[in-house]
Amino acid sequence: MDKSVPVVSKIFCSGAPTMLMIRRRPAVVNGGGFVVTDLSHSIVFIVDGCGTLGSKGELMVKDGEGEPILSISKKGGIVQALSTRNRWNGYSMDYQGKNKLVFSLTDPKSCTAQDRDCTIVDCTRKIVAQMGKKGLMGGKDFYHVEVQSGYDQAFIIGVMAILDSIHGESTRC
């Protein structure tokens, strides 16, 4: 029985827990963002922020080949200005370039600095992914995330890109 939980696509779900390594790019190199590799150092995902895209509140997750798979944008306007939370929408990108809303997340306006040791849980409080800096290269520009089996790695990287932008890290203008 398949226990995959695809959000972006089933092709990004693995049957076993997967360790991914994240290396932030400085804003002066390719516009910032970060690169995600597997343990054999093959590029799995690339995340571009507004330094590359040129628009504040816009993020792009690409596959290892550089093809866009997830477009993320922060909603703005008068409704957002009156809200106590920012809303981020993630859109999958199909081969025809059409966008389909696949997730929506909100964040509190009173966020503090991002902790590289955190856990992402689903609605039942089951651990989906754990992010940390212990045991692998360490430092502010290198950290890792372990995505549990069956969960969509592209979605998890999208959530990490949003957290990175919220906390003024490499994807933010």
Side-chain angles (χ1 to χ4, degrees), residues 37-116:
T37 62
D38 59 19
L39 292 178
S40 65
H41 303 289
S42 297
I43 295 175
V44 182
F45 299 104
I46 301 164
V47 176
D48 292 331
C50 72
T52 301
L53 303 175
S55 298
K56 187 175 182 180
E58 297 287 327
L59 306 169
M60 180 70 66
V61 178
K62 300 176 182 177
D63 65 14
E65 302 295 318
E67 293 296 318
I69 55 172
L70 187 61
S71 171
I72 303 169
S73 62
K74 182 168 69 169
K75 289 295 180 186
I78 189 71
V79 174
Q80 188 66 49
L82 298 173
S83 174
T84 59
R85 297 164 91 71
N86 289 316
R87 178 173 299 279
W88 294 82
N89 290 331
Y91 301 89
S92 67
M93 304 181 73
D94 68 12
Y95 64 93
Q96 296 175 332
K98 294 180 182 175
N99 295 337
K100 174 185 161 192
L101 181 66
V102 291
F103 71 86
S104 184
L105 299 173
T106 57
D107 67 89
K109 286 191 176 187
S110 60
C111 290
T112 59
Q114 184 179 359
D115 186 0
R116 297 286 182 221

Side-chain angles (χ1 to χ4, degrees), residues 7-8 70 103 105 120 128 152-160:
V7 177
V8 177
L70 187 61
F103 71 86
L105 299 173
I120 299 172
V128 173
D152 192 321
Q153 297 168 24
F155 168 68
I156 297 301
I157 297 303
V159 170
M160 293 177 64

